[in-house]
Amino acid sequence: MLLLRPVTRSRSFAQRVLGRSIHNLKLRDAPVDIHPEVEEALAHNKPVVSLETALVTNGLPYPQSLEVPLSQEQIVRSTGAIPATIGLVGGRVKIGLEKHELERLADPSGKPVKISRRDIAAAIATGRDGVTTLIFSALAGIKVFATGGMGGVHKGGENSFDISADLQEIARCPVALVSSGVKSILDIKRTLEYLETLGVPVIPYNETRDFPAFFSPESGFKVPWSTSDPAIAAKILDTHLRLGLNNGIMFPVPIPEKYRGAGQTIQNYIDQAVQESEQNGMASSGSDVTPWLLNRVRELDGGLSLESNIALLENNALVGGQIAVHYQRLQGSSSSTTYQPSVSQTAGKSSSIFQDVTSTPTASQSVAKPQPAKVVVVGCAAIDVISTGKTDVNPALALHSTIPGKVALSLGGVARNIAEAATRVSSSAYPGLSPLLVAPVGKDFFGHILAEQTARLGMRNDGFVTVEDRTAVCNMVLDGQGGLIGGVADMDITNEFSFDAILPQLQAHTPEYVCFDGNLKADTLKQLVNYCHQHKIKSLFEPTSVYKTSRILPSIAARINEETTEAPISHFTPNLLELQEVFEQVKSEEYDLMARDWWWKFIDNLSLGTSFRMDLDQLARRPVDDEEPSKGKLGFLTEQGVAQMAVNLLPFFQHIWVKCGAQGVLVFMHIPPEKAALTGFASQRTNMVKRCIVAHGMKKDIVVVKHFPALKVDTVENVTGAGDSFVGTLVAGIASDNKRVYDLEGLDSLVNTAQQAAALTLQSHEAVSPLLSDLKRS
């Protein structure tokens, strides 16, 4: 039996606060339900933005009251942050609403109540539905809250004392409130004075220090500070919280430029509505006055204010997401407490030991189940030790002695690099994937470094599996010019990584895509491929090197028979040498897979005749790059048999993505008859301008061949991780929407985005460029 003892690591400031917040709610058995995606994001220090639901009943009419909150969530996701729309459903506080719960609150026939601090206990005790503002964001430990307009001092408030509870709330809750200022029906001057009395920082999101007036970018009042940079706003928030200042910060955001022209017109209608409320007595009706005024303004302006209101709500969600992402980056490590064995494990058994939690668990406290991973990457995670001699030292001296130089430690391993790339782009270009790296680590010093540094990069490390072996380490000695003098690669741990150690992670996450590298032994690969087929999981094989490419062939041989209707491997990502190697091995006496009747039948069904060969010849005459004729032509496509090899491998690999270095990327894919009619290629034909061949077989099969020129890179700093960055970004893109592969425009987007990721890494000193976190879909 494996006993675990908690080993507390250095945690980020934000994560310590978040951990206490969630832990305290659970410890008190509070009637609060935190959505699994939100809880996983908080546990792993991912950016989260809370969104209000008060707009559902008071701010917008139906159906906009449902459409806009859903739109806000998507906008927050587009920034790389996780949205957490907050409301009360059936007497339970929901930190993160499901769509059906939001529909329930927005239903015009329902009667959710607007809840402030005074109403919470009574509304929960009576099982009510309700809409809330920022208080529960603070209770959950979410530090950025996006809304429309905040409450304030009502006009005439100096006599009526009608002052919104929002002002006291922001004075109590350490949260960044991103809004469009205060509602335009209020007394802005007295509201600012009241906020100053409460000590609440008001920092407009502009360069002019003008406090916005909701529908207008200027109210006529200025404040001492402002910024239009989300990074500066995040730093202000971080500093404020680190100082222990327990009130909130207000970041009022001006309405987008397009809608500013209508501001004065809308303000005239607001003034009229306020005057009417004073005449008919509604102004003294307490909480009913705000919804009455908003409805009356919409009646007067014919919907003009509604359009502007939606625009500012969506813009505030965007700004809130950007601030949250920058705030998260200031927090450092995403790991909090890890576990390691306190006694030896039973020989042959393994267990995941690096599991992130938000606080040290006790006997009465359970650890939240991590978010299921849509993409699982299996293979090698390693520590790279690079020793580089000084340029003025004779490298021959290193053979029998030490030489002066520098030693650098970094994370490496093909699967790890792929997982990092997928993780980074899932916070930008392809949100919502939560990629998981499943790799073996030893119970040694390097294992602890690997787990901790992986978490510091914002990656999940709950897929690491500890085994009785040494953590993978590659130690290289380079001369002053970067040439390899020698080194030692200790990779036995990955080669011996068994399928039995991987299986629990696959069962826990039920991924849609499993990507594995060629560092795994053939038997493990065979069982992985078999599992993927049994559970209808798409597979991607990254061969890693020419030497390891053929390790996948026993898996393929075991899967094909006369009843096989699809390729054993969904995606294959070789370079040109690896493509040639696997082609030669498939034909070899050891495997001889092309001699099988099944293979001949498959190839015959493709019906690739004279027209296809003519198209290939025409494509081969195209320049590698239209803008750089000096790179030559694509003659290697036919002269070196690249196209022939790839097409002959399509029965084994449905999609082949060939990394050709400076010559770009070649894509070969087979679309079977049962799927062909559902794809964009069903109606498309060969297009040489787009370097794309589309061949339609007699039995409705489709074969696609497409070339993508390489992107221009001015300075190359590192070549080791570019291919892995390409693969990680590619699998993330496919997993986010696999239909993209089967449409010319979608295919262009997938490959161009992956090429951008590779180009960024080529220009970085890191194995995977950190700039992938900001990469946008092409």
Side-chain angles (χ1 to χ4, degrees):
M1 178 178 179
L2 176 65
L3 300 178
L4 300 176
R5 59 182 174 84
V7 179
T8 303
R9 299 193 184 283
S10 175
R11 295 198 289 157
S12 72
F13 169 77
Q15 200 166 14
R16 292 195 300 272
V17 175
L18 297 177
R20 289 196 298 268
S21 300
I22 296 173
H23 173 55
N24 289 340
L25 288 172
K26 290 182 176 180
L27 202 61
R28 296 194 298 265
D29 195 25
V32 177
D33 300 324
I34 301 178
H35 192 283
E37 182 186 25
V38 176
E39 187 164 9
E40 190 271 340
L42 293 174
H44 291 83
N45 199 23
K46 296 178 181 178
V48 180
V49 177
S50 54
L51 300 168
E52 66 155 326
T53 46
L55 63 90
V56 173
T57 56
N58 289 346
L60 299 171
Y62 188 84
Q64 289 87 351
S65 59
L66 173 61
E67 295 167 349
V68 174
L70 293 174
S71 174
Q72 285 183 295
E73 290 187 347
Q74 290 304 311
I75 290 169
V76 169
R77 290 188 190 280
S78 75
T79 67
I82 302 299
T85 304
I86 300 176
L88 192 70
V89 179
R92 300 284 300 183
V93 178
K94 302 287 185 176
I95 312 293
L97 291 174
E98 297 284 359
K99 184 179 179 182
H100 69 88
E101 293 170 330
L102 195 53
E103 289 172 342
R104 171 171 168 167
L105 293 179
D107 186 348
S109 64
K111 295 194 179 295
V113 294
K114 184 177 180 181
I115 296 173
S116 62
R117 186 178 291 259
R118 70 171 185 184
D119 308 303
I120 294 172
I124 290 174
T126 55
R128 295 294 298 274
D129 290 349
V131 294
T132 67
T133 50
L134 80 164
I135 181 171
F136 290 113
S137 179
L139 287 176
I142 301 172
K143 295 304 175 188
V144 179
F145 179 86
T147 181
M150 191 180 74
V153 179
H154 280 259
K155 293 182 177 180
E158 69 276 17
N159 298 316
S160 66
F161 295 99
D162 190 354
I163 301 172
S164 170
D166 288 354
L167 299 183
Q168 287 291 337
E169 215 56 72
I170 195 172
R172 294 172 173 174
C173 298
V175 172
L177 176 70
V178 180
S179 73
S180 292
V182 298
K183 295 182 177 71
S184 49
I185 57 177
L186 303 174
D187 186 326
I188 295 177
K189 179 177 183 294
R190 286 188 169 85
T191 298
L192 288 174
E193 290 174 348
Y194 199 90
L195 287 169
E196 181 182 359
T197 300
L198 295 174
V200 175
V202 177
I203 303 176
Y205 197 74
N206 57 35
E207 294 298 336
T208 63
R209 297 189 291 113
D210 285 297
F211 186 84
F214 205 74
F215 292 118
S216 175
E218 300 173 0
S219 64
F221 301 101
K222 288 184 179 289
V223 293
W225 303 95
S226 69
T227 181
S228 60
D229 186 342
I232 297 297
K235 192 171 183 180
I236 292 170
L237 173 62
D238 181 64
T239 304
H240 184 84
L241 297 179
R242 287 182 187 275
L243 289 170
L245 302 175
N246 290 323
N247 55 341
I249 300 178
M250 186 179 184
F251 290 104
V253 181
I255 191 169
E257 184 76 32
K258 176 181 176 181
Y259 300 91
R260 295 179 182 182
Q264 186 56 53
T265 302
I266 297 172
Q267 187 59 49
N268 292 337
Y269 289 125
I270 292 170
D271 293 341
Q272 180 181 338
V274 170
Q275 186 177 10
E276 290 178 7
S277 72
E278 292 170 349
Q279 293 170 350
N280 62 21
M282 184 57 71
S284 58
S285 64
S287 61
D288 291 335
V289 64
T290 297
W292 185 91
L293 286 170
L294 293 174
N295 286 329
R296 181 57 181 148
V297 170
R298 281 197 292 270
E299 291 173 358
L300 292 170
D301 67 20
L304 183 63
S305 62
L306 176 61
E307 184 180 358
S308 296
N309 200 357
I310 292 172
L312 63 85
L313 282 164
E314 293 180 336
N315 188 53
N316 293 347
L318 177 67
V319 173
Q322 293 168 342
I323 293 174
V325 168
H326 283 281
Y327 176 74
Q328 181 271 335
R329 290 175 184 167
L330 293 173
Q331 305 313 304
S333 172
S334 66
S335 69
S336 54
T337 301
T338 60
Y339 290 95
Q340 63 182 158
S342 58
V343 295
S344 298
Q345 292 173 274
T346 304
K349 292 186 178 180
S350 57
S351 171
S352 177
I353 61 170
F354 300 96
Q355 302 179 24
D356 289 335
V357 294
T358 55
S359 59
T360 303
T362 65
S364 61
Q365 180 187 351
S366 61
V367 177
K369 183 180 178 180
Q371 179 184 359
K374 197 171 183 179
V375 175
V376 168
V377 184
V378 186
C380 180
I383 296 290
D384 290 337
V385 182
I386 311 296
S387 305
T388 306
K390 288 188 174 181
T391 55
D392 58 349
V393 176
N394 183 354
L397 297 176
L399 296 178
H400 303 289
S401 180
T402 59
I403 58 174
K406 62 181 180 180
V407 178
L409 203 68
S410 63
L411 305 188
V414 171
R416 195 217 65 84
N417 293 347
I418 291 172
E420 181 182 348
T423 298
R424 289 193 179 278
V425 298
S426 70
S427 69
S428 53
Y430 305 116
L433 298 180
S434 191
L436 179 74
L437 171 63
V438 178
V441 295
K443 297 182 295 182
D444 53 16
F445 175 71
F446 284 121
H448 291 301
I449 293 177
L450 188 56
E452 186 170 281
Q453 294 303 314
T454 294
R456 284 185 178 275
L457 292 174
M459 297 172 62
R460 299 178 63 163
N461 64 5
D462 52 318
F464 281 144
V465 180
T466 183
V467 298
E468 293 287 350
D469 210 332
R470 299 176 303 277
T471 299
V473 176
C474 182
N475 180 15
M476 292 181 286
V477 180
L478 310 178
D479 61 27
Q481 285 70 45
L484 180 66
I485 297 174
V488 175
D490 185 359
M491 299 291 176
D492 290 349
I493 190 172
T494 307
N495 189 54
E496 296 303 319
F497 196 28
S498 70
F499 178 73
D500 288 342
I502 300 166
L503 180 59
Q505 293 289 350
L506 298 178
Q507 292 173 329
H509 291 275
T510 59
E512 295 180 20
Y513 284 82
V514 172
C515 174
F516 36 84
D517 71 27
N519 289 299
L520 300 171
K521 60 184 177 182
D523 185 62
T524 299
L525 288 172
K526 185 190 297 185
Q527 293 181 76
L528 261 175
V529 171
N530 187 54
Y531 182 90
C532 287
H533 274 269
Q534 288 178 350
H535 295 83
K536 301 186 184 307
I537 299 171
K538 299 296 183 183
S539 57
L540 184 149
F541 175 60
E542 163 53 45
T544 305
S545 69
V546 172
Y547 168 72
K548 297 170 184 175
T549 298
S550 60
R551 290 185 179 182
I552 195 64
L553 296 185
S555 307
I556 293 173
R559 289 297 315 168
I560 58 175
N561 54 54
E562 292 306 313
E563 278 130 36
T564 302
T565 58
E566 61 180 21
I569 306 297
S570 307
H571 299 272
F572 180 39
T573 56
N575 60 29
L576 287 169
L577 293 176
E578 292 160 350
L579 178 75
Q580 181 177 358
E581 174 65 15
V582 78
F583 177 75
E584 295 297 336
Q585 290 297 325
V586 162
K587 296 190 304 175
S588 69
E589 185 176 342
E590 180 179 0
Y591 298 104
D592 202 16
L593 298 180
M594 291 183 182
R596 300 194 184 191
D597 291 340
W598 171 83
W599 182 84
W600 284 104
K601 181 179 178 181
F602 192 109
I603 294 296
D604 287 344
N605 287 341
L606 299 182
S607 307
L608 300 177
T610 304
S611 177
F612 180 72
R613 288 192 292 272
M614 291 175 63
D615 286 342
L616 278 177
D617 289 339
Q618 189 176 351
L619 182 59
R621 290 194 291 270
R622 291 293 306 272
V624 169
D625 190 327
D626 290 329
E627 298 181 7
E628 294 188 46
S630 61
K631 286 187 175 181
K633 298 186 182 297
L634 290 172
F636 69 93
L637 197 62
T638 54
E639 293 167 7
Q640 297 177 26
V642 172
Q644 178 190 7
M645 289 187 288
V647 169
N648 284 330
L649 290 173
L650 285 176
F652 312 119
F653 308 97
Q654 185 183 352
H655 309 83
I656 303 176
W657 313 80
V658 188
K659 297 165 290 186
C660 305
Q663 295 169 313
V665 174
L666 282 167
V667 178
F668 300 84
M669 76 170 77
H670 166 244
I671 307 174
E674 62 272 16
K675 295 182 180 179
L678 303 176
T679 70
F681 287 111
S683 59
Q684 292 174 343
R685 295 293 182 267
T686 294
N687 186 331
M688 282 301 156
V689 174
K690 294 188 175 182
R691 300 169 176 260
C692 183
I693 298 171
V694 183
H696 297 264
M698 296 293 291
K699 295 193 175 182
K700 307 298 183 183
D701 295 76
I702 298 176
V703 171
V704 177
V705 180
K706 189 167 186 345
H707 174 254
F708 294 84
L711 301 184
K712 294 175 179 59
V713 177
D714 295 330
T715 304
V716 175
E717 300 289 347
N718 167 37
V719 298
T720 58
D724 299 338
S725 295
F726 176 90
V727 175
T729 304
L730 179 70
V731 71
I734 297 171
S736 70
D737 183 1
N738 61 10
K739 293 179 182 177
R740 288 194 188 98
V741 179
Y742 301 118
D743 173 81
L744 186 56
E745 184 178 337
L747 182 62
D748 286 349
S749 174
L750 275 175
V751 177
N752 288 334
T753 305
Q755 285 182 300
Q756 289 179 43
L760 288 172
T761 293
L762 283 171
Q763 299 170 85
S764 171
H765 291 286
E766 307 295 332
V768 175
S769 171
L771 295 179
L772 266 65
S773 296
D774 299 318
L775 184 65
K776 300 301 180 185
R777 187 184 310 168
S778 175

